[in-house]
Amino acid sequence: MNGNAGKKPVAVSEPVVPLLDAVVKVFCVRSIPNYSLPWQRRRQCSTSSSGFVIAGRRVLTNAHSVAHYTQVKLKKRGSDNKYLATVLAVGTECDIALLTVEDDEFWEGVSPVEFGELPALQDAVAIVGYPIGGDTISVTSGVVSRREILSYTHGESELLGLQVDAAINAGNSGGPAFSDKGNCVGIAFQSMKQGDAENIGYVIPTPVIDHFIQDYERNRAYTGFPILGFHWQPMENPDLRIAMGMRSDQRGILVNRVEATAPNSEIFKPLDVILSFDGADIGNDGTVPFRHGERIGFSYLVSQKYPGENANIKVLRDSVMHEFNIRLGIPKKLIPVCIKDGPPSYYILAGFVFTVVSVPYLRSENDVTVDILHKLQFSMAQSEDEDLVVISQVLVADINIGYEGLANVQVLAVNGNPVKNLKSLVNMVESCNDEYLKFDLIFNVIVILRTEAAKAATADILATHGIPSAMSDDLKTCVEV
């Protein structure tokens, strides 16, 4: 007798096929600024990456996939046609860009992907895209091996990310990560450096993607992820906690420095103990409870907010509990991660090339002083319009004999007046009627030039080096002469 007689057959679930037709190949022609020679651009180049269609006739990809673009095109799976794309928004910090295509033909027969929830550890994922080495779509599979606050290389930021053991290669950037239910759970964006580990890639998860999309839909532009605007240290040492007046049942982090340009610079003070953020208690190591018994850096809670929103925060100050309702914003960085308004600014006088320090500038320079690297890590802007101005190099000429070795040296003052930014330096030089121009540099180094001779020598130096203008276009409108 058959023991299975009368029983209903067990239904076997079939795997859900990801929406492969929604995945597109992204072609970008870019012209990267030459930060060492800011009046030039580097040779035009072409790159390819991946992207995918979402609701609203839009396409998501990585910000680094379209950085410094001059033209972006998209190609659908199985098509031989490339469609011109328009870049709607670029989120440098979260490495996400939003595109659209005007041509109605592009959207025919394409269904947008649907987003799923943040996957759990060991959940299966499939990375879909167009890695370099082939023209057809590629699918690699793996599982989620870690969920934590990651360092986003492109934006020099720290946001929630997923670590997966699926291969993510060049060209996969911007492609979706699908769950086994066919929902998009993230965007492939970077991988572990070769040699450090094998088959480790990183995915931008849906909470970060949702924040980017909602930000754009609210403001019709990308405004960014807020931060609290202070530097802190953990309080895992018991003597430190006792000295700060904490009870044995209290946990928190210690404020070291407060950003002067942060919206809450007048609220927070050094030696404040931050106990909680929006009702979530912060551990002595700076973490808060996360899903399924995990913990994660409390900056995750901050990153879920939008600039201009409020949050409740509990502070222990001099053993007295305080509760504040703070407004979140984005403080000005002394050395910005990117330059959003076109090519880098520069000013040339008597062969001295003055420019503003940024992270892309530092990446382009081989000889950066320890002082500037220290400022990148620890210094904070004191006002919204403060920049770090340097002499990047000296174009050798008779007028600057003896100063040829100056490179990447910060300029502090012109004729005794502090240099707040490059515009202030240009205005002081161009309007100077004194016999001499004196530049005070860091480490008490000085440069002195005859004003008339320095200005007169500039034109010949520009002609010798084939430089079209003594200053970038953004400075021409602000010069007071």
Side-chain angles (χ1 to χ4, degrees):
M1 182 176 179
N2 188 347
N4 292 326
K7 294 184 179 180
K8 293 182 179 180
V10 178
V12 179
S13 61
E14 296 183 359
V16 178
V17 178
L19 299 175
L20 300 185
D21 289 344
V23 183
V24 300
K25 191 169 186 177
V26 180
F27 298 87
C28 179
V29 179
R30 68 184 78 228
S31 180
I32 302 174
N34 188 335
Y35 293 92
S36 296
L37 303 174
W39 52 89
Q40 298 180 355
R41 282 185 173 269
R42 299 189 185 277
R43 184 181 179 87
Q44 181 175 280
C45 64
S46 300
T47 59
S48 68
S49 56
S50 307
F52 58 97
V53 175
I54 64 171
R57 291 167 60 104
R58 298 173 297 184
V59 172
L60 284 180
T61 187
N62 282 145
H64 74 259
S65 297
V66 296
H68 306 296
Y69 71 92
T70 55
Q71 185 184 77
V72 179
K73 291 182 179 180
L74 305 180
K75 187 171 77 169
K76 297 192 295 182
R77 182 190 183 202
S79 172
D80 61 349
N81 192 19
K82 296 177 183 177
Y83 299 85
L84 281 174
T86 301
V87 178
L88 299 176
V90 176
T92 302
E93 291 87 348
C94 59
D95 201 1
I96 304 175
L98 187 66
L99 318 176
T100 190
V101 174
E102 298 295 332
D103 194 334
D104 293 335
E105 183 182 83
F106 175 82
W107 306 103
E108 294 177 1
V110 180
S111 299
V113 304
E114 295 183 2
F115 290 103
E117 296 181 352
L118 183 69
L121 293 177
Q122 294 187 326
D123 277 1
V125 291
I127 307 297
V128 184
Y130 292 87
I132 293 175
D135 294 326
T136 57
I137 204 164
S138 168
V139 180
T140 57
S141 60
V143 298
V144 176
S145 54
R146 184 176 291 171
R147 302 185 301 185
E148 63 180 353
I149 301 298
L150 295 176
S151 175
Y152 281 44
T153 303
H154 180 67
E156 298 283 335
S157 58
E158 293 188 346
L159 296 168
L160 180 66
L162 301 177
Q163 178 181 299
V164 298
D165 63 0
I168 296 178
N169 300 306
N172 269 127
S173 294
F178 288 111
S179 68
D180 55 4
K181 296 180 180 179
N183 295 323
C184 177
V185 294
I187 304 174
F189 77 117
Q190 62 189 39
S191 59
M192 184 72 78
K193 185 173 66 174
Q194 188 175 8
D196 290 346
E198 294 183 359
N199 289 338
I200 291 183
Y202 297 100
V203 171
I204 303 169
T206 45
V208 178
I209 300 171
D210 289 341
H211 188 287
F212 171 83
I213 295 174
Q214 291 294 324
D215 187 11
Y216 175 78
E217 292 178 347
R218 288 182 179 195
N219 305 290
R220 308 313 299 173
Y222 170 76
T223 63
F225 291 75
I227 58 177
L228 289 176
F230 59 73
H231 297 248
W232 59 273
Q233 72 177 69
M235 300 193 69
E236 297 172 296
N237 183 274
D239 292 340
L240 176 62
R241 294 196 297 272
I242 294 172
M244 292 297 108
M246 296 176 68
R247 301 193 309 265
S248 59
D249 62 334
Q250 289 179 322
R251 302 287 185 272
I253 57 174
L254 184 66
V255 175
N256 299 132
R257 298 173 295 146
V258 180
E259 300 272 6
T261 60
N264 310 293
S265 59
E266 296 181 356
I267 294 179
F268 297 119
K269 299 181 183 301
L271 301 185
D272 278 350
V273 179
I274 310 300
L275 302 176
S276 70
F277 179 88
D278 260 359
D281 293 334
I282 301 174
N284 292 326
D285 59 351
T287 63
V288 293
F290 197 49
R291 302 181 182 186
H292 308 299
E294 299 176 67
R295 297 187 69 85
I296 196 169
F298 84 98
S299 61
Y300 168 72
L301 300 179
V302 182
S303 69
Q304 296 301 292
K305 298 281 189 175
Y306 296 87
E309 287 189 339
N310 293 339
N312 291 310
I313 197 162
K314 289 184 179 179
V315 176
L316 187 68
R317 180 181 297 162
D318 298 327
S319 301
V320 178
M321 179 80 73
H322 299 271
E323 189 167 348
F324 300 108
N325 185 261
I326 63 172
R327 183 173 64 88
L328 299 173
I330 304 175
K332 166 75 163 59
K333 291 187 176 181
L334 180 62
I335 300 179
V337 172
C338 64
I339 298 176
K340 299 180 180 180
D341 300 322
S345 300
Y346 73 90
Y347 175 65
I348 300 175
L349 173 77
F352 292 84
V353 181
F354 300 91
T355 190
V356 175
V357 177
S358 64
V359 171
Y361 172 81
L362 294 178
R363 288 173 176 166
S364 71
E365 290 292 298
N366 295 322
D367 184 19
V368 179
T369 63
V370 174
D371 174 71
I372 292 179
L373 295 177
H374 184 273
K375 286 181 168 62
L376 172 65
Q377 187 71 26
F378 299 106
S379 294
M380 298 174 287
Q382 298 304 307
S383 63
E384 288 290 342
D385 58 351
E386 182 182 5
D387 290 318
L388 183 62
V389 179
V390 295
I391 296 173
S392 66
Q393 62 176 306
V394 179
L395 306 175
V396 176
D398 292 346
I399 188 73
N400 53 50
I401 287 176
Y403 300 128
E404 304 94 328
L406 294 176
N408 294 320
V409 183
Q410 184 182 359
V411 184
L412 303 178
V414 176
N415 286 355
N417 300 305
V419 172
K420 199 170 191 179
N421 49 48
L422 189 55
K423 292 180 180 179
S424 69
L425 181 145
V426 173
N427 281 324
M428 286 187 286
V429 172
E430 292 291 322
S431 61
C432 179
N433 295 317
D434 296 342
E435 182 179 0
Y436 291 100
L437 274 167
K438 178 187 175 187
F439 297 92
D440 292 310
L441 312 181
I442 199 167
F443 305 128
N444 295 322
V445 177
I446 62 171
V447 170
I448 297 180
L449 301 168
R450 288 186 178 272
T451 304
E452 289 187 7
K455 293 179 179 180
T458 300
D460 288 339
I461 295 173
L462 295 178
T464 299
H465 292 271
I467 302 173
S469 175
M471 65 184 75
S472 52
D473 291 341
D474 62 310
L475 296 175
K476 294 176 181 178
T477 58
C478 72
V479 176
E480 299 172 0
V481 292

